[in-house]
Amino acid sequence: MATLSYLIENRARFPLGSHMSLRAWAKRLMTFPELLRRNRRRHYLTRNGSNIHECAEIGKIKADGNKQNLTIGAFSFLGKAELALHASIKIGERVCINDGVRILTASHDVSDPEWKHIKAAIFIDDYAWIGTNALILPGVKIGRGAVVGAGAVVSKDVLPRDIVAGNPARVLNRKRSESLKYNPCEFLAANQAWIKG
């Protein structure tokens, strides 16, 4: 959603010179630096081999390792997250990853006398929401529409629409709606300035 061409095409339009028009353009100018920063982050990653949709939003992530291991779908948002790209991390569409999240694709085998490195890919399906300070461990698959609660430590797969919390993460006795249709990028102030005015 952060590409300027997308925002210009889909911007809220008001009568020229009206109060709403002036207000919208003032907001757009005030939030423009953040819009540019997110675009630069995405451009840096794609230039280094990541496959990131032009409508994905990239916050202040720390992505260590092979950038070619990172794939992010349309309208997904990553906040101040840390990604260890020893193996593939695939993030679907309309995923929200909050600040403080750590996604690790490698560890060490504690039973191995040589303490060998173990790598395993991570997949986060569409509409998943990863809460603040959650930790996703190697080899985990997070299903469509699943929620990982703030501070949860996820070492096992999370089924679609399941809500997990705690350390270790455990399934709560409720599920998310089957008909999810939101766009987490629309909640960002810089984008709202363009789309809503």
Side-chain angles (χ1 to χ4, degrees), residues 35-174:
L35 186 68
L36 289 177
R37 283 190 288 272
R38 288 198 305 264
N39 271 284
R40 277 196 301 267
R41 291 181 200 119
R42 183 179 57 245
H43 179 71
Y44 165 79
L45 291 166
T46 55
R47 194 178 66 230
N48 286 286
S50 298
N51 181 7
I52 302 175
H53 192 279
E54 65 179 12
C55 290
E57 296 282 359
I58 309 299
K60 295 179 185 176
I61 68 167
K62 180 180 177 189
D64 292 330
N66 186 349
K67 307 299 184 277
Q68 294 178 354
N69 284 333
L70 180 60
T71 301
I72 304 173
F75 304 110
S76 286
F77 169 74
L78 278 71
K80 296 176 187 174
E82 291 183 33
L83 289 70
L85 297 167
H86 303 289
S88 168
I89 296 176
K90 290 187 179 176
I91 298 168
E93 296 184 2
R94 299 174 187 257
V95 171
C96 182
I97 297 179
N98 287 108
D99 291 348
V101 170
R102 291 182 296 156
I103 302 175
L104 307 178
T105 57
S107 187
H108 293 276
D109 184 353
V110 293
S111 61
D112 185 327
E114 295 180 10
W115 201 47
K116 288 183 182 166
H117 216 203
I118 302 170
K119 301 175 187 177
I122 291 176
F123 176 67
I124 302 172
D125 206 348
D126 301 346
Y127 288 105
W129 177 17
I130 314 300
T132 303
N133 294 327
L135 174 62
I136 311 297
L137 296 176
V140 167
K141 291 178 185 162
I142 298 179
R144 185 181 193 281
V147 176
V148 174
V153 177
V154 183
S155 60
K156 297 179 182 173
D157 292 353
V158 179
L159 296 176
R161 299 176 36 240
D162 272 359
I163 302 170
V164 300
N167 179 7
R170 290 192 169 87
V171 179
L172 303 181
N173 290 330
R174 58 183 185 206

